[in-house]
Amino acid sequence: MSMIRDLRAAVRPALRRGRTSSEYDATRDPSVTSAVVDCGVYRDGKRVSDHVSPAKAMERVREEGGFAWIGLHEPTEREFAGIAQEFGLHPLAVEDAVQAHQRPKLERYDDTLFTVFKTIHYVEHAELTSTSEVVETGEVMCFTGRNFIVTVRHGGQGSLRALRHRLQQDPELLAKGPSAVLHAIADQVVDGYLAVADAVQDDIDEVEIDVFSAATSRRGGDAGRIYQLKREVLEFKRAVSPLLRPMQLLSERPMRLVDPDIQTYFRDVADHLARVNEQVLAFDDLLNSILQANLAQATVAQNEDMRKITSWAAIFAVPTMIAGIYGMNFDYMPELRWKFGYPTVLVVTVGICFAIHRGFKRNGWL
């Protein structure tokens, strides 16, 4: 793992030299970690500085007011150490931010709120199979202070670039401070959940129609696809359900670091999140029902096969029994030397087999 991190740290500056002028360029300041995607100072809802290091951004904030927003992407422990020291971030929160793979949560360390969001991206696929990846997860972690917000992103999805530009076009909201940025991130993450929930609903509808179609019901459907979809819904659930409590706290409990006006906006995010959570729970229950129906259909199909096998075995038992009796080597057997004995036995055998076949056919066994 350390080798991968060192390699990533080595190639990251080269990959980021091709950014547009609106993005942060780490090569302008050699002292700045290459993990920094953007760093800006905001005052009265407007961006007042570009292309500064986090240390210089905080220096300007302390002297002139406003707040700093520093965005990072998959920083290593070494890359994040300087920023953590500059902003006085708690070591436990820093460790979580670097290692990632955290559960959604909200924690308070002194005068800093540490929030973890799991981002969800729907993976497009031409056809759902037993190995299809339906959802892809990432993480966005936020350190929110009185005059700064540090965002740490993990994964290829959940970019905050468009969000930053959108907020900069709404100075009135951005003037509320770091809590406005925190709300915007939470709102974007939850809106992503809503979009993914609609797409997953389409996949579930497709599987449900397939399971209960006439052709599939005879062969028992495809349990592999259902189980794979259930696993992906479980991954979705792990991102949504743990976030309910943090959103409830941000929307209901007064906090010094959250502007009272912004707290009202968090209520809307909490409502949307509750709706998504209900959808995900319903998905899980529905997939359980579909899987049970699929297994029941497979059992019914097996029972039908067993009935057919049993019916044909009963039919063939008649000639087998008669042939077995006349295959005995006794000298005195009924009609043994009769001229019409052989055709008579064949006619009787066929007649009995036909009668049994007709009876099974009438009862639906054949």
Side-chain angles (χ1 to χ4, degrees), residues 43-46 67 167 170-178 180 259:
R43 190 180 307 113
D44 298 326
K46 298 180 180 180
F67 72 94
L167 279 175
D170 190 356
E172 183 178 352
L173 180 62
L174 197 56
K176 300 293 183 181
D259 188 281

Side-chain angles (χ1 to χ4, degrees), residues 1-77:
M1 182 63 72
S2 60
M3 182 181 299
I4 296 176
R5 287 180 177 175
D6 292 342
L7 179 61
R8 184 176 59 196
V11 302
R12 186 182 285 127
L15 293 176
R16 289 177 177 166
R17 290 192 184 101
R19 290 201 181 107
T20 61
S21 59
S22 62
E23 297 180 79
Y24 184 81
D25 187 357
T27 60
R28 293 173 180 262
D29 189 343
S31 64
V32 180
T33 170
S34 60
V36 175
V37 177
D38 199 354
C39 180
V41 176
Y42 297 86
R43 190 180 307 113
D44 298 326
K46 298 180 180 180
R47 184 162 180 157
V48 295
S49 68
D50 286 316
H51 311 303
V52 295
S53 68
K56 291 181 180 178
M58 281 307 298
E59 183 179 349
R60 291 198 59 177
V61 167
R62 294 187 185 103
E63 293 176 354
E64 304 172 9
F67 72 94
W69 180 1
I70 297 91
L72 300 96
H73 181 244
E74 297 184 353
T76 63
E77 185 176 352

